[in-house]
Amino acid sequence: MATITKDMTIAQAIATDQNIIPVLLDIGMHCLGCPSAQAETLEEAAMVHGLDIDDLMDRIREQIGE
């Protein structure tokens, strides 16, 4: 299983493991298929949504069992 990193785009992260979708939706990232998801990294998205990237990555790791 590939590791999801904060420098992956949202689309790359979802392609790596679709199980992260509920986490992203839960924190307010509802535009998972929009153009910004193709270019915006998880870190950039966290900043835009006022989230701590380390907290987001912890939630993602917990969701996918890393």
Side-chain angles (χ1 to χ4, degrees), residues 9-64:
T9 65
I10 296 167
Q12 288 171 325
I14 290 171
T16 300
D17 193 327
Q18 291 186 359
N19 291 314
I20 71 166
I21 292 173
V23 172
L24 299 178
L25 292 174
D26 188 48
I27 61 170
M29 291 184 191
H30 298 120
C31 190
L32 302 179
C34 71
S36 64
Q38 302 303 312
E40 193 170 60
T41 66
L42 289 171
E43 186 169 32
E44 291 165 338
M47 183 178 63
V48 168
H49 288 271
L51 304 167
D52 180 271
I53 186 58
D54 294 325
D55 291 341
L56 174 58
M57 295 309 298
D58 286 345
R59 289 182 68 174
I60 288 172
R61 285 196 270 300
E62 182 178 317
Q63 178 74 14
I64 63 175

